[in-house]
Amino acid sequence: MGIRINKKLEEIPPSGIRKFFDLISTRKDIISLGVGEPDFYTPWHIRESIIYSLEKGYTAYTSNWGIYELREAISSYYKKFGVSSSPDDVLITTGVSEGLDITIRGILNPGERVIIPEPCYVSYIPLVKLAYGNPVLVPTSEETGFKIHYEDIVNHSDPPSKAIILGYPSNPTGVTYSKKELEEVADAVIEKDMIVISDEIYAELTYDRRHVSIASLNGMSERVIILNGFSKAHAMTGLRIGYAIAPSDIMEAMLKIHQYCMLCAPVSAQMGAIEALKNGSKEVDKMRNEYNRRRKFFVNRLNDFLSCQMPEGAFYAFPSIRETGLSSESFSEKLLSYGVAVVPGTAFGKTGEGYIRCSYAVSMEKLKIAADRMEEFIGSIARERV
Amino acid sequence: MDEILEILENDAKISLEKLAEITGYSEREIENYIKKKEDERVILGYKAIIDWEKQGKEDVYAIIDVKVGLNRETGYNNIAKRIARFSEVHSVRLVSGDYDLQIVVKGKNMKEVAFFVAEKISTLPEVRDTNTHFVLRTYKEEGVLLFEDEEDRRLAVAP
C-alpha cells in the first residue's frame, strides 16, 4: 500500500498543548492555568432559550448563511466597534475556527503568502499550510509590546503577501491594538494591497477601553474579514458558534466552502446566540468585571517573582521566565510538580520561548493558590542556582 | 470606590491585601473607606449564608402577608417598625399587591411560628388580615444557589 496520508500534514507538528494535556490528566491536585476558555457556565438565560428551542422543534438545517434574525443582530451589534455592515455581509460559522479555515481557503492560491505575527494562536499557521499557502512568520517581542508595526509588514513584503492574520486581543499574549496602532498597520496593508483576517474573538474582553476593529478604519472595510463568535464573551465554547463579516466577493468564496463542508452552523447554538445578543450584555459585563479583577490581582502577584506586562485583553497573562534560565518547556514541566499547569510560550511559536501562558479564567481562590505555588517554585530555582 | 462594596457584597471575607491587589488602592485607603461605610451604615453587617437544612437543623421559616388598616395617627412606617422589632421577625418589607407588608418569621417549629403570628402580629390593632406560607424548601438564598448540579467539565488544557 502506498502512502495513504496527505503529505502536507507532515509539515504540521501535533499541537504543543496536547502533550501537557496528557501529562496533567494523570494528576488531580493540579491547578490548571492552561485552559483557554471561560470558567463561567453559559448564562442560564441562554441555555434556557436553547432548551426551549429544542422543545419547539428547532432541529432542522438553517439556511447556509444562518438564521437571518441572528445575522441582523450581529450586524447591528458590530456598530459598537465602529463597523457598519448589512445582515447580508454576515455569515454564521461553526466557531471562529471554521471562519478562519474558510477565509484562508477562500482567498489563497497555492504558494501565496500570509503574514502572521508571532507568538500567535495555535491554528493560524497550520490552517495556512493546509490551504497550501506560505506562512510568513513575523516575530514580535516584549520590547515592542508583542505588536506588529508598519515597518515589520513592509520589511516582510518582498515577495508580497496576500494577507495578514491579526488576532487582538491576543491569545496568548493578552495584547491588543489601539486605534492609532491599527492605523499604522492599515497604512502598510493599503500600501502593500493586502487583506486583513481580523480575529476578534476576545473583543468583549478588552479592559480599560473599548475594542476597536481594524475594519472600522477609513478605507479598510473592503479589505477586512472580521471573525468573531460567542465562545469567550458569552462562555459558549462547546456550542461552537461564530460568524464572519466580509466584503461580498470574499464572502461569496467563503460561502461556497461553508455550504459544502459545514452546510450550516448548529441550529441550537444559533438560537442561543440570538438570545445572547438580545439579552446577554449584563452577563458579559459581569464576567468582564470578574476577569478584570483577577487580571489585576494575578498579574500584580506574578510581578512579585516574575516579570509580566499588564495584559490589555483576553484572559491570559504572558510572563517572562527568562530570569530562571529555564526553557519554557522545562519550566512548565517542572512547575507541574508544584501543582500548577501552564502552557509553554513555544506552543505559540518560536518567539514564545522565554515565556509561559497563564490563563486567569480560574476562580480567585485557585489563582491565589497557584500564585503561591509558582512563587515557591521560583524560590526553589533561585536557591538551586546560589 | 463602589467597586470595593461590590466585591464585599459577594465575598465579605476577602482580605485587605487581596482587595488592594485587585483594586489598586492601598490597604490603608481601603481600610479607612470600609470603616467610613460602616460608620455611615452603608455596610450594615457581615453574615454567612448557611444551608441549615443540610446541617440538619430544622428551623422553620414562614412568609407572612399582612394587610393593615391605616388611620390618622398610624402610617405604614409605624406598624412596620413595630413588627420589625420582634426578634422572631427576619425581614419586613412594604410591598404592592393584595397585601401591604410581607414579613419573614423564623421559629423552632410550625407551632411556634403559628402562635407568634396569632399572638403578636394578628393582635396588633392595625392588622386586618394575615396569610401565612410556611417555607418547605429553599432553592436560592441571597443570590446563592442551594443546589449543585453543575461541575467543571472543561479539559485541563485547551488552546
Side-chain angles (χ1 to χ4, degrees), chain A residues 77-154:
Chain A
Y77 163 77
Y78 239 82
K79 286 194 188 111
K80 88 184 244 192
F81 301 129
V83 177
S84 57
S85 62
S86 112
D88 297 333
D89 303 326
V90 181
L91 172 69
I92 310 303
T93 60
T94 305
V96 170
S97 296
E98 191 224 344
L100 202 55
D101 182 33
I102 62 174
T103 306
I104 292 169
R105 284 199 279 158
I107 62 173
L108 280 196
N109 292 297
E112 284 183 326
R113 297 154 66 94
V114 178
I115 290 181
I116 301 176
E118 264 197 332
C120 67
Y121 181 61
V122 295
S123 78
Y124 295 171
I125 299 166
L127 286 179
V128 169
K129 285 185 176 166
L130 281 172
Y132 296 88
N134 282 335
V136 178
L137 304 179
V138 178
T140 64
S141 67
E142 193 172 353
E143 290 67 40
T144 53
F146 286 120
K147 294 178 196 190
I148 193 166
H149 297 276
Y150 174 87
E151 300 77 27
D152 298 317
I153 298 172
V154 173

Side-chain angles (χ1 to χ4, degrees), chain A residues 87-335:
Chain A
D88 297 333
D89 303 326
V90 181
L91 172 69
I92 310 303
T93 60
T94 305
V96 170
S97 296
E98 191 224 344
L100 202 55
D101 182 33
I102 62 174
T103 306
I104 292 169
R105 284 199 279 158
I107 62 173
L108 280 196
N109 292 297
E112 284 183 326
R113 297 154 66 94
V114 178
I115 290 181
I116 301 176
E118 264 197 332
C120 67
Y121 181 61
V122 295
S123 78
Y124 295 171
I125 299 166
L127 286 179
V128 169
K129 285 185 176 166
L130 281 172
Y132 296 88
N134 282 335
V136 178
L137 304 179
V138 178
T140 64
S141 67
E142 193 172 353
E143 290 67 40
T144 53
F146 286 120
K147 294 178 196 190
I148 193 166
H149 297 276
Y150 174 87
E151 300 77 27
D152 298 317
I153 298 172
V154 173
N155 293 342
H156 284 83
S157 289
D158 186 27
S161 288
K162 182 146 196 186
I164 175 172
I165 305 181
L166 212 57
Y168 59 102
S170 153
N171 174 6
T173 62
V175 155
T176 193
Y177 289 75
S178 68
K179 187 170 180 197
K180 195 154 167 276
E181 289 162 337
L182 286 175
E183 277 167 347
E184 206 191 303
V185 172
D187 285 345
V189 163
I190 291 170
E191 192 179 313
K192 297 295 169 188
D193 193 19
M194 289 160 64
I195 296 167
V196 181
I197 301 172
S198 186
D199 177 355
E200 306 182 17
I201 185 67
Y202 289 100
E204 280 288 358
L205 303 181
T206 303
Y207 311 103
D208 304 331
R209 61 182 144 101
R210 176 166 283 193
H211 171 80
V212 181
S213 170
I214 193 166
S216 70
L217 304 181
N218 265 345
M220 287 304 285
S221 67
E222 278 308 301
R223 293 180 179 276
V224 179
I225 298 115
I226 296 170
L227 302 174
N228 203 334
F230 296 83
S231 294
K232 314 298 170 166
H234 299 277
M236 291 169 66
T237 46
L239 290 159
R240 309 308 307 128
I241 182 84
Y243 52 89
I245 305 175
S248 57
D249 55 332
I250 295 176
M251 182 59 90
E252 212 172 297
M254 291 164 65
L255 180 68
K256 249 184 214 172
I257 306 173
H258 172 79
Q259 70 187 354
Y260 294 123
C261 80
M262 197 58 67
L263 226 160
C264 70
V267 60
S268 307
Q270 292 194 54
M271 298 306 282
I274 292 173
E275 173 64 20
L277 281 183
K278 255 193 205 159
N279 299 312
S281 68
K282 244 168 86 181
E283 294 282 346
V284 175
D285 291 345
K286 232 164 80 181
M287 291 190 270
R288 187 194 306 105
N289 283 340
E290 182 58 29
Y291 289 133
N292 193 12
R293 282 169 195 159
R294 296 174 187 176
R295 172 181 76 122
K296 291 188 211 159
F297 167 74
F298 187 62
V299 175
N300 285 334
R301 260 314 260 126
L302 280 179
N303 277 308
D304 290 341
F305 48 88
L306 287 172
S307 127
C308 185
Q309 286 187 355
M310 186 58 83
E312 305 159 286
F315 37 60
Y316 306 106
F318 202 63
S320 165
I321 52 133
R322 285 180 189 155
E323 291 274 297
T324 65
L326 294 172
S327 72
S328 298
E329 192 140 325
S330 95
F331 181 97
S332 307
E333 265 182 58
K334 288 188 169 149
L335 182 58

